[in-house]
């Protein structure tokens, strides 16, 4: 029996840092499309169902359009979907999961989607699900606590699959205001040995195995929603889990699913035209001819001549148009070449020459003067016949 394990879709995430509202909307809809794109994987691998371990919605109060869109996407998967609430979309009385509009849309658009909202065994034909839903944003008690005593009357031969959301012992979740963090701590070592066959986890956005016996994995988010944070964090996967019944270790295979590229290369130092050319080649290799599919965060250092700075500006403007988002930490200092300096200081306008000479004298120690000098150069060039 095979199934897919995924988590942390965070549909409805606003991405307010993206200035262009049209691009922001494209990113949001692309992430929703990536949920629909799980269907070919379900078919290709013959997955019997999909489990989603929390944070399907980014917020505990999604707007109606987001609710409908997610129900539509889940309904398109073609197999039963079982989910638990996470810290972003926690359950409990009055939660979104109990709202009339959500229930109606789920029934209408995704009748095979079953949110598991209580910690009790949920037997299926070919497995037993043991959901550990979060019923508030910050749960002080370990959500898997109820499994420290093995529930009675579990079918003897079916694989026992724990579904949980939170951070695990010795492996802390991301330290941001949205993470489950110090609350929602899961202590896998307290689960009785041999009682369960697989622990499907959500909350950490990278794909990661955190325990061996039973195997416990974070699926990670199938579509990254932030710039990478370190080598250890590999988002952009779902897990294909294959099990032969209770007591047999399952096989777990990460499948790459990311469609949007979030690139944050190391800072680039630019010291001359060769470096500028190398940067253009690096970006062409990284991004290819793609448009509307990538976000890039770039830190640029060094010093360039005035004409080179102008070329750099053109290069960045092109990618600014092509990419969903381009953030540049631009620290490159203008360093006019002798020729550029001469064209200003030796020019025919005595006032410009005087200003340029003063700025050039100060440019060695004062970044503001360098910036003014660069601006002056561009103005003079733009207005010269
Ligand atoms: Mn979470």
């Amino acid at each position: 029996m095979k199934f897919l394990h995924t988590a942390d879709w965070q549909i409805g995430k606003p991405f307010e840092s993206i200035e262009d509202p049209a691009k922001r909307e494209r990113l949001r809809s692309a992430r929703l499309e990536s949920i629909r794109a799980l269907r070919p994987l379900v078919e290709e691998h013959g997955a019997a169902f999909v489990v989603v371990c929390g944070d399907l919605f980014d917020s505990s109060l999604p707007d109606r359009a987001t609710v409908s869109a997610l129900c539509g996407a889940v309904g398109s998967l073609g197999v039963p979907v079982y989910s638990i609430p996470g810290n972003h979309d926690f359950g409990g009385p009055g939660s979104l999961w109990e709202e009339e509009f959500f229930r109606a849309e789920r029934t209408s658009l995704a009748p095979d989607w079953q949110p598991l909202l209580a910690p009790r065994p949920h037997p299926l034909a070919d497995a037993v699900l043991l959901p550990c839903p979060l019923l508030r944003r910050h749960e002080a008690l370990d959500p898997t606590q109820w499994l420290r005593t093995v529930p009675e009357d579990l079918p003897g031969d079916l694989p026992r699959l724990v579904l949980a959301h939170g951070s695990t012992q010795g492996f802390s979740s991301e330290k941001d205001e949205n993470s489950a963090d110090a609350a929602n701590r899961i202590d896998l070592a307290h689960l009785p040995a041999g009682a369960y066959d697989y622990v499907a986890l959500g909350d950490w956005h990278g794909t990661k195995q955190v325990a061996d016996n039973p195997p416990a994995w974070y699926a990670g988010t199938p579509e990254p929603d932030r710039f990478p944070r370190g080598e250890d964090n590999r988002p952009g996967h779902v897990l294909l889990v294959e099990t032969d019944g209770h007591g047999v270790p399952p096989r777990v295979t990460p499948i790459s699913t990311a469609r949007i590229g979030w690139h944050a290369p190391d800072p680039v130092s630019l010291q001359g035209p060769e470096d500028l050319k190398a940067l253009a080649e690096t970006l062409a290799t990284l991004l290819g001819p793609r448009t509307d599919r990538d976000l890039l965060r770039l830190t640029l250092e060094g010093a360039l001549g005035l004409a080179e700075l102008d070329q750099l500006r053109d290069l960045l403007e092109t990618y600014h148009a092509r990419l969903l988002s381009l953030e540049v930490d631009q620290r490159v200092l203008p360093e006019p070449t002798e020729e550029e300096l001469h064209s200003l200081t030796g020019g025919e306008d005595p006032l410009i020459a005087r200003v340029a000479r003063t700025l050039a004298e100060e440019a060695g120690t004062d970044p503001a003067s360098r910036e003014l000098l660069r601006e002056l150069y561009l103005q003079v060039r733009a207005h010269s016949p």
Side-chain angles (χ1 to χ4, degrees), residues 325-341:
S325 170
L326 172 63
E327 292 173 27
V328 186
D329 185 0
Q330 163 59 296
R331 302 184 205 160
V332 182
L333 296 173
E335 202 168 70
T337 62
E338 285 303 319
E339 201 177 321
E340 285 167 345
L341 263 184

Side-chain angles (χ1 to χ4, degrees), residues 8 10 55 86-88 165 178-180 202-203 205:
D8 300 282
Q10 292 191 211
D55 290 354
N87 59 308
H88 279 256
H165 186 99
N178 293 325
S179 100
D203 195 34
H205 282 205

Side-chain angles (χ1 to χ4, degrees), residues 228-300:
R229 298 181 181 182
E231 295 275 305
D232 206 27
N233 189 344
R234 296 187 309 129
H237 299 84
V238 295
L239 297 174
L240 176 69
V241 185
E242 200 171 347
T243 162
D244 291 327
H246 178 50
V248 187
R251 286 174 297 284
V252 182
T253 313
I255 299 173
S256 172
T257 48
R259 289 140 50 98
I260 309 279
W262 293 73
H263 314 280
D266 290 338
V268 179
S269 179
L270 300 171
Q271 304 293 351
E274 297 79 20
D275 290 345
L276 197 54
K277 198 165 158 237
L279 173 66
E281 281 163 8
T282 302
L283 293 182
T285 307
L286 182 67
L287 303 163
R290 288 196 300 277
T291 56
D292 266 350
R293 270 286 165 93
D294 299 86
L295 298 90
L296 175 64
R297 179 180 280 171
L298 209 50
T299 300
L300 301 176

